[in-house]
Amino acid sequence: MTIDINREAQIIEMLRSIGCGLKPARTQSRSRVRALVVESATLSQPVVIHKDRLNAIRVAVAPAMYRTELEDEHHGVRAARNIRSSLNQFRHSAYCAFANADAMGEPVAKCYEIDWDNGGCLEKLRKLLVGLMH
């Protein structure tokens, strides 16, 4: 299940307000795409926002782009942890834009998680993206 269309529209509007665009997602079917690939002239590489979690947004970046100073546990912005490895290391086909494959040839990313529950999720996402741009 993905976030609802209204929240997705709010995210897209916020992305455009800070000068980001969306890279067209490739999909084999007509189903909703589960991730937004965000691009900007001020980002060194694209950023992937996952829409398949109802209680949080997962924001994936190339490992070299990840900055711990952008984490804010108190306000619900934290390093994501992979359930299998307990590391902040994830594989997904949407990460092919990062051009950083592991030993198995899978594209790899590090992720931030932003809670919807603590309120101000769009502002937290905006602040995170602006931080990644500088």
PDB file of all heavy atoms in Angstrom, residues 76-90:
ATOM      1  N   GLY A  76      11.867  13.344  14.613  1.00  0.00           N
ATOM      2  CA  GLY A  76      11.384  12.266  13.751  1.00  0.00           C
ATOM      3  C   GLY A  76      12.104  12.110  12.430  1.00  0.00           C
ATOM      4  O   GLY A  76      11.535  11.581  11.477  1.00  0.00           O
ATOM      5  N   VAL A  77      13.364  12.552  12.333  1.00  0.00           N
ATOM      6  CA  VAL A  77      14.187  12.331  11.137  1.00  0.00           C
ATOM      7  C   VAL A  77      15.379  11.498  11.594  1.00  0.00           C
ATOM      8  O   VAL A  77      16.202  11.959  12.377  1.00  0.00           O
ATOM      9  CB  VAL A  77      14.675  13.657  10.510  1.00  0.00           C
ATOM     10  CG1 VAL A  77      15.539  13.379   9.281  1.00  0.00           C
ATOM     11  CG2 VAL A  77      13.504  14.557  10.158  1.00  0.00           C
ATOM     12  N   ARG A  78      15.446  10.262  11.131  1.00  0.00           N
ATOM     13  CA  ARG A  78      16.484   9.358  11.635  1.00  0.00           C
ATOM     14  C   ARG A  78      17.058   8.511  10.506  1.00  0.00           C
ATOM     15  O   ARG A  78      16.491   8.427   9.423  1.00  0.00           O
ATOM     16  CB  ARG A  78      15.905   8.456  12.712  1.00  0.00           C
ATOM     17  CG  ARG A  78      14.840   7.526  12.200  1.00  0.00           C
ATOM     18  CD  ARG A  78      14.181   6.702  13.309  1.00  0.00           C
ATOM     19  NE  ARG A  78      12.970   6.076  12.834  1.00  0.00           N
ATOM     20  CZ  ARG A  78      11.812   6.670  12.658  1.00  0.00           C
ATOM     21  NH1 ARG A  78      11.684   7.942  12.920  1.00  0.00           N
ATOM     22  NH2 ARG A  78      10.767   6.018  12.208  1.00  0.00           N
ATOM     23  N   ALA A  79      18.151   7.875  10.815  1.00  0.00           N
ATOM     24  CA  ALA A  79      18.740   6.907   9.890  1.00  0.00           C
ATOM     25  C   ALA A  79      17.842   5.677   9.858  1.00  0.00           C
ATOM     26  O   ALA A  79      17.422   5.178  10.892  1.00  0.00           O
ATOM     27  CB  ALA A  79      20.141   6.525  10.355  1.00  0.00           C
ATOM     28  N   ALA A  80      17.533   5.221   8.674  1.00  0.00           N
ATOM     29  CA  ALA A  80      16.731   3.998   8.538  1.00  0.00           C
ATOM     30  C   ALA A  80      17.620   2.796   8.830  1.00  0.00           C
ATOM     31  O   ALA A  80      18.835   2.845   8.644  1.00  0.00           O
ATOM     32  CB  ALA A  80      16.160   3.909   7.127  1.00  0.00           C
ATOM     33  N   ARG A  81      17.026   1.734   9.288  1.00  0.00           N
ATOM     34  CA  ARG A  81      17.757   0.501   9.577  1.00  0.00           C
ATOM     35  C   ARG A  81      17.129  -0.642   8.801  1.00  0.00           C
ATOM     36  O   ARG A  81      15.922  -0.857   8.855  1.00  0.00           O
ATOM     37  CB  ARG A  81      17.720   0.170  11.067  1.00  0.00           C
ATOM     38  CG  ARG A  81      18.435   1.176  11.914  1.00  0.00           C
ATOM     39  CD  ARG A  81      19.941   1.044  11.767  1.00  0.00           C
ATOM     40  NE  ARG A  81      20.597   2.113  12.483  1.00  0.00           N
ATOM     41  CZ  ARG A  81      21.550   2.861  11.970  1.00  0.00           C
ATOM     42  NH1 ARG A  81      21.975   2.659  10.757  1.00  0.00           N
ATOM     43  NH2 ARG A  81      22.105   3.809  12.682  1.00  0.00           N
ATOM     44  N   ASN A  82      17.967  -1.372   8.090  1.00  0.00           N
ATOM     45  CA  ASN A  82      17.521  -2.535   7.340  1.00  0.00           C
ATOM     46  C   ASN A  82      17.196  -3.649   8.335  1.00  0.00           C
ATOM     47  O   ASN A  82      18.018  -3.979   9.195  1.00  0.00           O
ATOM     48  CB  ASN A  82      18.629  -2.972   6.376  1.00  0.00           C
ATOM     49  CG  ASN A  82      18.183  -4.008   5.400  1.00  0.00           C
ATOM     50  OD1 ASN A  82      17.485  -4.953   5.758  1.00  0.00           O
ATOM     51  ND2 ASN A  82      18.601  -3.853   4.167  1.00  0.00           N
ATOM     52  N   ILE A  83      16.031  -4.218   8.232  1.00  0.00           N
ATOM     53  CA  ILE A  83      15.600  -5.265   9.172  1.00  0.00           C
ATOM     54  C   ILE A  83      16.534  -6.471   9.128  1.00  0.00           C
ATOM     55  O   ILE A  83      16.827  -7.076  10.157  1.00  0.00           O
ATOM     56  CB  ILE A  83      14.153  -5.708   8.853  1.00  0.00           C
ATOM     57  CG1 ILE A  83      13.199  -4.547   9.125  1.00  0.00           C
ATOM     58  CG2 ILE A  83      13.752  -6.922   9.670  1.00  0.00           C
ATOM     59  CD1 ILE A  83      11.790  -4.789   8.632  1.00  0.00           C
ATOM     60  N   ARG A  84      17.025  -6.802   7.959  1.00  0.00           N
ATOM     61  CA  ARG A  84      17.882  -7.994   7.810  1.00  0.00           C
ATOM     62  C   ARG A  84      19.275  -7.813   8.382  1.00  0.00           C
ATOM     63  O   ARG A  84      19.834  -8.723   8.955  1.00  0.00           O
ATOM     64  CB  ARG A  84      17.977  -8.379   6.342  1.00  0.00           C
ATOM     65  CG  ARG A  84      16.666  -8.837   5.778  1.00  0.00           C
ATOM     66  CD  ARG A  84      16.803  -9.217   4.318  1.00  0.00           C
ATOM     67  NE  ARG A  84      15.486  -9.472   3.775  1.00  0.00           N
ATOM     68  CZ  ARG A  84      15.075  -9.075   2.607  1.00  0.00           C
ATOM     69  NH1 ARG A  84      15.890  -8.400   1.810  1.00  0.00           N
ATOM     70  NH2 ARG A  84      13.863  -9.330   2.199  1.00  0.00           N
ATOM     71  N   SER A  85      19.847  -6.626   8.195  1.00  0.00           N
ATOM     72  CA  SER A  85      21.248  -6.430   8.581  1.00  0.00           C
ATOM     73  C   SER A  85      21.445  -5.448   9.731  1.00  0.00           C
ATOM     74  O   SER A  85      22.556  -5.343  10.240  1.00  0.00           O
ATOM     75  CB  SER A  85      22.045  -5.930   7.374  1.00  0.00           C
ATOM     76  OG  SER A  85      21.626  -4.626   7.021  1.00  0.00           O
ATOM     77  N   SER A  86      20.429  -4.710  10.108  1.00  0.00           N
ATOM     78  CA  SER A  86      20.496  -3.634  11.105  1.00  0.00           C
ATOM     79  C   SER A  86      21.394  -2.481  10.661  1.00  0.00           C
ATOM     80  O   SER A  86      21.740  -1.628  11.456  1.00  0.00           O
ATOM     81  CB  SER A  86      20.965  -4.165  12.460  1.00  0.00           C
ATOM     82  OG  SER A  86      20.016  -5.048  12.976  1.00  0.00           O
ATOM     83  N   LEU A  87      21.777  -2.461   9.398  1.00  0.00           N
ATOM     84  CA  LEU A  87      22.614  -1.386   8.864  1.00  0.00           C
ATOM     85  C   LEU A  87      21.752  -0.418   8.067  1.00  0.00           C
ATOM     86  O   LEU A  87      20.663  -0.756   7.614  1.00  0.00           O
ATOM     87  CB  LEU A  87      23.695  -1.954   7.944  1.00  0.00           C
ATOM     88  CG  LEU A  87      24.678  -2.935   8.554  1.00  0.00           C
ATOM     89  CD1 LEU A  87      25.581  -3.511   7.460  1.00  0.00           C
ATOM     90  CD2 LEU A  87      25.516  -2.248   9.620  1.00  0.00           C
ATOM     91  N   ASN A  88      22.260   0.759   7.856  1.00  0.00           N
ATOM     92  CA  ASN A  88      21.600   1.719   6.979  1.00  0.00           C
ATOM     93  C   ASN A  88      22.136   1.472   5.573  1.00  0.00           C
ATOM     94  O   ASN A  88      22.922   2.243   5.040  1.00  0.00           O
ATOM     95  CB  ASN A  88      21.861   3.147   7.433  1.00  0.00           C
ATOM     96  CG  ASN A  88      21.068   4.152   6.625  1.00  0.00           C
ATOM     97  OD1 ASN A  88      20.429   3.812   5.641  1.00  0.00           O
ATOM     98  ND2 ASN A  88      21.118   5.398   7.044  1.00  0.00           N
ATOM     99  N   GLN A  89      21.709   0.369   5.006  1.00  0.00           N
ATOM    100  CA  GLN A  89      22.125  -0.017   3.665  1.00  0.00           C
ATOM    101  C   GLN A  89      20.970  -0.776   3.026  1.00  0.00           C
ATOM    102  O   GLN A  89      20.498  -1.780   3.569  1.00  0.00           O
ATOM    103  CB  GLN A  89      23.377  -0.887   3.704  1.00  0.00           C
ATOM    104  CG  GLN A  89      23.899  -1.220   2.339  1.00  0.00           C
ATOM    105  CD  GLN A  89      25.205  -2.003   2.413  1.00  0.00           C
ATOM    106  OE1 GLN A  89      25.480  -2.673   3.399  1.00  0.00           O
ATOM    107  NE2 GLN A  89      25.983  -1.922   1.375  1.00  0.00           N
ATOM    108  N   PHE A  90      20.495  -0.267   1.872  1.00  0.00           N
ATOM    109  CA  PHE A  90      19.319  -0.819   1.229  1.00  0.00           C
ATOM    110  C   PHE A  90      19.576  -1.031  -0.263  1.00  0.00           C
ATOM    111  O   PHE A  90      20.315  -0.276  -0.871  1.00  0.00           O
ATOM    112  CB  PHE A  90      18.124   0.125   1.407  1.00  0.00           C
ATOM    113  CG  PHE A  90      17.725   0.315   2.839  1.00  0.00           C
ATOM    114  CD1 PHE A  90      18.364   1.261   3.626  1.00  0.00           C
ATOM    115  CD2 PHE A  90      16.742  -0.460   3.411  1.00  0.00           C
ATOM    116  CE1 PHE A  90      18.009   1.440   4.950  1.00  0.00           C
ATOM    117  CE2 PHE A  90      16.381  -0.290   4.740  1.00  0.00           C
ATOM    118  CZ  PHE A  90      17.015   0.655   5.503  1.00  0.00           C
TER     119      PHE A  90
END
